[in-house]
Amino acid sequence: MNSSYAVPAVALVVVATVLVGAFGLRISRTTSDFYVASRTVGPRLNAAAISGEYLSAASFLGIAGLVLVQGPDMLWYPVGYTAGYLVLLLFVAAPLRRSGAYTLPDFAEARLASQAVRRLAGAFVVGVGWLYLLPQLQGAGLTLQVLTGAPDSLGGVIVAVVVVATVAAGGMRSITFVQAFQYWLKLTALLVPALFLILAWQGDGAPSHAFEEPATFREQRVVRVDDSLDLKLDRPLTVTVDGTVDGRAHAGTALRLRAGTHHIDAGTRLTFAEGDPVPEADRRDIAGLSPSQAESRGERPLYATYGLILATFLGTMGLPHVVVRFYTSPHGVAARRTTVAVLGLIGAFYLLPPVYGALGRLYAPELTLTGDADAAVLLLPDRVIGGLGGDLLGALVAGGAFAAFLSTASGLTMAVAGVLTQDVLPSRGVRHFRLGTVLAMAVPLAASALVGGLPVADAVGLAFAVSASSFCPLLVLGIWWRRLTPPGAAAGMLVGGGSALVAVAATMAGFPGSGALHAVLAWPALWSVPLGFLTMVLVSLATAGRVPAGTAAILARFHLPEELRTEVKA
């Protein structure tokens, strides 16, 4: 890709973000403006803003990368991400807005009248927010590295600086306009190149083997292995080797590899001929690299699929940057209308990443060996079209990718900063909110430089699992079950969310690496979500005397339309 076009495109997106944020700053006057835009955001603007912040690095880069590596089974990701809003619409959106809360901890305190539950909810908001911010920063680093060869930490630093400046300056009022603008930019950045890619694919004879197993090279391709790995071959394969294979050095040697596993040292160049199958790369045993969830999918495909479905369907309602947006709606009806609009907007967007994944299996299959599958969206315009047209389309995609990182990181930073300001810092004023913004970004920025990342969609999927295991039981039971007690809510979040968090930490640390236990830890939602619900119900029944005194009035507030509540008061 020609960085002489891509870098200015990224710079233009950054400048546009700052300018749109400055417009929001001009009309941001009160503390309520900073936290919830004074609850005056209409359904159309709010839906675009929600879609903008929800469509993250996992959506823009990660889904295409997963489809490239593992085929159509990964379409469950966009299906789950979209269906999560249907669950949110049916069970949570309107009652959550009527609660009058600013944050999830505010909701927990209003429903259960417990400071302890509020503090626990706040801790989970911060944990999920930081876990979700990591892949945004890592994705930004990957994008800038692919474009310019810059250090992979530089992109994350740029995103962090722009996001902190935008959020700290104008708060929710500012980022609402930024995220709405960035949704339409991201949609354009994928849609326009996709149309040209499909036309070029059709003009190339429309090869129909995008999902062949395994993927094959359409032309001779030289692959450089940057990190040591093991290649798994189902049948013998002849490749030209310049480097070290199975401990033996070769210099341009045509080497016939037998079926089985072969160790490839870092820096080795492998030349594959046209029509060669793309070998499977195994990085589980390489020091310093986290295992991908791909291994558990291969070993336990049905378990992994159900774990993914449950995490994405139920995790959306507890994502802090998504939930906080419903507090900006004028009333419950507007919150429902917003959710319906969001379903349409993100559904339209999710038609596009699988196209890039399928074309990536045709035109860039070697990315499965280099470990850079998330870069497929960035590289395809140059691979398929080439020339000036490919460079310009690649620049558009690069700008859209940075918009994805900026918009999602803005929402997450806003949500985490709100909790830090409300529950950690000594004052709740705007000045302390700005300090909370810096703290909200500083921790994941430091972690992104230290932790070897999973593929971005995998990392986001783990955040969904923690959210589904902690906040889904709290919201569903808190809104629809009058017998929920503070001890039950606290125990459910600790057991469900805490166990999912431990599983996430073990997976990211590379433990145990393979086998049934690895699958259980890599896809925790299948057991941690039921565990959270069950614990919350059983402990609540055991502490039936601890049901808050005003529960009936609170639930009436959640479920009665605002107009009816006004008439009752009158």
Side-chain angles (χ1 to χ4, degrees):
M1 180 185 295
N2 191 337
S3 61
S4 62
Y5 296 102
V7 172
V10 170
L12 186 61
V13 168
V14 171
V15 171
T17 297
V18 172
L19 292 178
V20 174
F23 172 75
L25 173 61
R26 292 179 56 193
I27 59 176
S28 184
R29 296 286 180 266
T30 66
T31 301
S32 181
D33 277 333
F34 268 79
Y35 286 127
V36 289
S38 294
R39 306 187 193 278
T40 57
V41 183
R44 285 183 293 182
L45 177 60
N46 211 12
I50 290 174
S51 301
E53 71 177 354
Y54 187 65
L55 298 172
S56 64
S59 299
F60 202 94
L61 300 179
I63 290 174
L66 288 176
V67 171
L68 164 62
V69 175
Q70 299 178 62
D73 287 349
M74 295 302 96
L75 295 179
W76 275 113
Y77 271 98
V79 170
Y81 290 156
T82 306
Y85 273 95
L86 182 60
V87 179
L88 187 66
L89 170 66
L90 294 175
F91 297 107
V92 173
L96 191 63
R97 168 58 189 90
R98 296 186 188 116
S99 71
Y102 281 98
T103 62
L104 273 170
D106 285 341
F107 168 83
E109 183 182 20
R111 172 63 177 85
L112 297 164
S114 170
Q115 281 292 323
V117 176
R118 178 193 177 94
R119 287 192 292 270
L120 183 60
F124 273 102
V125 166
V126 173
V128 171
W130 282 345
L131 185 63
Y132 210 144
L133 271 168
L134 273 174
Q136 313 311 315
L137 301 176
Q138 291 171 344
L142 170 68
T143 299
L144 208 62
Q145 185 182 45
V146 169
L147 296 178
T148 67
D152 57 8
S153 60
L154 182 59
V157 171
I158 293 174
V159 167
V161 170
V162 174
V163 165
V164 168
T166 304
V167 174
M172 182 64 80
R173 179 73 73 181
S174 181
I175 69 170
T176 294
F177 294 106
V178 168
Q179 291 169 337
F181 156 73
Q182 287 170 336
Y183 167 77
W184 294 108
L185 174 59
K186 285 184 283 189
L187 183 64
T188 302
L190 280 191
L191 178 60
V192 173
L195 294 177
F196 283 95
L197 291 174
I198 291 172
L199 290 175
W201 169 59
Q202 290 290 323
D204 194 27
S208 59
H209 58 282
F211 290 123
E212 270 190 6
E213 293 294 346
T216 58
F217 292 97
R218 300 184 65 247
E219 59 187 18
Q220 185 183 78
R221 180 71 65 183
V222 178
V223 178
R224 176 184 168 85
V225 177
D226 291 326
D227 296 300
S228 298
L229 54 80
D230 290 336
L231 289 186
K232 293 182 175 180
L233 300 179
D234 293 331
R235 61 178 185 267
L237 179 66
T238 300
V239 296
T240 302
V241 179
D242 189 358
T244 304
V245 174
D246 294 332
R248 295 183 179 181
H250 302 271
T253 305
L255 182 65
R256 184 168 178 78
L257 302 176
R258 68 183 187 282
T261 301
H262 300 272
H263 183 75
I264 314 298
D265 283 2
T268 300
R269 293 179 181 272
L270 304 175
T271 303
F272 295 89
E274 179 183 350
D276 282 348
V278 180
E280 179 184 349
D282 184 359
R283 293 179 171 83
R284 286 178 295 180
D285 300 324
I286 308 304
L289 293 178
S290 299
S292 167
Q293 288 179 301
E295 283 86 26
S296 60
R297 290 193 195 101
E299 295 171 351
R300 303 288 189 278
L302 187 61
Y303 178 87
T305 298
Y306 283 126
L308 168 63
I309 291 172
L310 199 61
T312 52
F313 277 38
L314 301 183
T316 300
M317 71 174 66
L319 295 178
H321 63 304
V322 170
V323 171
V324 73
R325 280 238 150 254
F326 287 95
Y327 303 139
T328 67
S329 296
H331 42 69
V333 173
R336 280 203 174 100
R337 289 174 178 168
T338 297
T339 311
V340 172
V342 169
L343 279 168
L345 292 178
I346 65 175
F349 180 91
Y350 279 134
L351 295 174
L352 299 173
V355 173
Y356 285 84
L359 292 176
R361 291 174 69 87
L362 292 173
Y363 294 97
E366 77 281 359
L367 295 179
T368 62
L369 300 181
T370 63
D372 295 327
D374 289 332
V377 173
L378 302 170
L379 297 176
L380 274 174
D382 181 62
R383 290 286 179 88
V384 180
I385 298 173
L388 178 61
D391 289 339
L392 293 176
L393 292 174
L396 179 60
V397 171
F402 247 75
F405 311 138
L406 289 168
S407 58
T408 302
S410 296
L412 289 165
T413 303
M414 179 75 213
V416 174
V419 170
L420 292 176
T421 306
Q422 296 281 325
D423 298 300
V424 177
L425 298 177
S427 173
R428 298 186 177 185
V430 171
R431 183 167 63 89
H432 283 82
F433 170 81
R434 287 169 174 156
L435 175 60
T437 301
V438 175
L439 294 176
M441 180 58 74
V443 172
L445 180 61
S448 68
L450 300 174
V451 179
L454 293 165
V456 290
D458 280 351
V460 168
L462 294 173
F464 269 75
V466 177
S467 171
S469 306
S470 54
F471 289 124
C472 175
L474 175 68
L475 288 168
V476 171
L477 295 179
I479 291 172
W480 297 97
W481 192 46
R482 66 176 59 247
R483 300 176 67 180
L484 181 67
T485 66
M493 281 194 291
L494 280 173
V495 173
S499 60
L501 198 59
V502 170
V504 166
T507 300
M508 297 185 75
F511 175 83
S514 61
L517 182 58
H518 171 65
V520 168
L521 295 178
W523 302 97
L526 205 57
W527 52 268
S528 59
V529 172
L531 189 61
F533 270 102
L534 184 62
T535 302
M536 209 169 279
V537 169
L538 293 179
V539 175
S540 293
L541 292 176
T543 57
R546 300 284 300 278
V547 175
T551 295
I554 289 293
L555 291 180
R557 180 181 179 182
F558 289 173
H559 295 288
L560 290 177
E562 286 82 357
E563 298 82 0
L564 182 58
R565 283 161 40 196
T566 302
E567 292 175 6
V568 170
K569 289 180 181 178

